[in-house]
Amino acid sequence: GSAMLLLGLSYMVLVYLNLGVPEVRFFMPGVVCCCIPIAGCAARIPKARLLLIGLAVAAVLQSAAVLHKTYSLRHLPDGIKAAVAFLETDPPVPNKVFMYPEGSYRFFSCAHTWYLGGRLKDFWRADNDQRLELLRRNGVGAVVVKKHLVGPIDKEMKNLGVYPDFFIQDIEDDPRFTKALENEDVTIYRLPASGQAAQ
């Protein structure tokens, strides 16, 4: 039992140290290893039936939270629907967008990229000239900003699931990023043709 607990805890510590800010799913193998010995100890607790009832209630509440999150990820807000329709009728050239690939990405008719071949942190740290060059090399014709993901980012840039607020300000101030669509959920910026990318 203690060996399984040590294995699970060691795994989770190694995941945290190597991935920085991993998602919960990366810890699951370690959680399973920890649950087995914990369950053995819990069975010996007096009035274990009350503990089981509490765990069952927690499981039901967690299921409700998961169903709500699943619905929110699959439900398309009107602003996202408008962006999907806009890019379908008026696709960028080239027909690929820079966009965070959460649930709604599969509804867009154009291809998308986010990590830019592992250079996303370089992209955030760059100036607009370098950003345009990196987007051009990745075949991107437009930037799709999901407004609920805009926010501050730490200096180490561990959270790669946000559009840094300074990036939005940079492209707002640069006339080479042409605002093609804006609504309550999304802003779409078209990029200049490759020959116009440099100032």
Side-chain angles (χ1 to χ4, degrees), residues 5-18 22 26-34:
L5 185 61
L6 182 61
L7 175 65
L9 292 173
S10 300
Y11 172 84
M12 289 190 281
V13 168
L14 287 171
V15 167
Y16 177 77
L17 292 176
N18 287 302
F26 295 121
F27 293 111
M28 290 312 293
V31 170
V32 171
C33 290
C34 291

Side-chain angles (χ1 to χ4, degrees), residues 3 13 17 20 22 35 42 45 63 68-69 71 82 86-87 92 101 103 105 113 118 141 154 163 168 171 173 175 199:
V13 168
L17 292 176
C35 283
I45 295 175
S63 297
H68 179 266
K69 182 64 175 177
Y71 172 79
F86 175 78
L87 290 174
Y105 76 92
T113 185
D154 57 90
Y163 299 81
I168 302 303
I171 63 176
D173 295 340
Q199 284 182 327

Side-chain angles (χ1 to χ4, degrees), residues 87-103:
L87 290 174
E88 190 170 349
T89 58
D90 193 6
V93 180
N95 193 13
K96 187 177 188 180
V97 296
F98 174 71
M99 173 181 72
Y100 184 70
E102 62 180 354

Side-chain angles (χ1 to χ4, degrees), residues 6-160:
L6 182 61
L7 175 65
L9 292 173
S10 300
Y11 172 84
M12 289 190 281
V13 168
L14 287 171
V15 167
Y16 177 77
L17 292 176
N18 287 302
L19 295 183
V21 186
E23 295 181 24
V24 173
R25 61 185 176 187
F26 295 121
F27 293 111
M28 290 312 293
V31 170
V32 171
C33 290
C34 291
C35 283
I36 294 170
I38 290 172
C41 293
R44 293 191 289 272
I45 295 175
K47 298 183 180 178
R49 183 175 292 180
L50 292 176
L51 177 63
L52 288 173
I53 291 171
L55 291 174
V57 169
V60 169
L61 293 175
Q62 184 182 26
S63 297
V66 169
L67 286 172
H68 179 266
K69 182 64 175 177
T70 302
Y71 172 79
S72 67
L73 286 174
R74 294 186 178 222
H75 172 72
L76 284 184
D78 290 340
I80 296 284
K81 288 179 185 175
V84 169
F86 175 78
L87 290 174
E88 190 170 349
T89 58
D90 193 6
V93 180
N95 193 13
K96 187 177 188 180
V97 296
F98 174 71
M99 173 181 72
Y100 184 70
E102 62 180 354
S104 60
Y105 76 92
R106 63 187 182 278
F107 295 100
F108 286 81
S109 57
C110 49
H112 71 280
T113 185
W114 177 251
Y115 295 104
L116 300 170
R119 298 197 58 196
L120 183 58
K121 289 184 181 181
D122 296 334
F123 181 76
W124 296 143
R125 293 185 182 109
D127 61 27
N128 279 350
D129 291 337
Q130 295 165 319
R131 288 173 180 153
L132 284 168
E133 176 60 22
L134 191 53
L135 292 170
R136 185 189 64 76
R137 277 192 271 133
N138 281 270
V140 172
V143 173
V144 177
V145 175
K146 296 177 179 178
K147 291 184 176 180
H148 72 281
L149 295 176
V150 175
I153 191 170
D154 57 90
K155 289 183 180 179
E156 291 77 27
M157 299 185 177
K158 291 181 179 178
N159 185 358
L160 299 181

Side-chain angles (χ1 to χ4, degrees), residues 158-185:
K158 291 181 179 178
N159 185 358
L160 299 181
V162 299
Y163 299 81
D165 46 10
F166 62 82
F167 166 71
I168 302 303
Q169 191 59 55
D170 286 348
I171 63 176
E172 274 285 326
D173 295 340
D174 192 328
R176 293 174 295 176
F177 291 84
T178 307
K179 194 178 291 185
L181 175 76
E182 183 170 25
N183 58 45
E184 66 277 12
D185 297 305

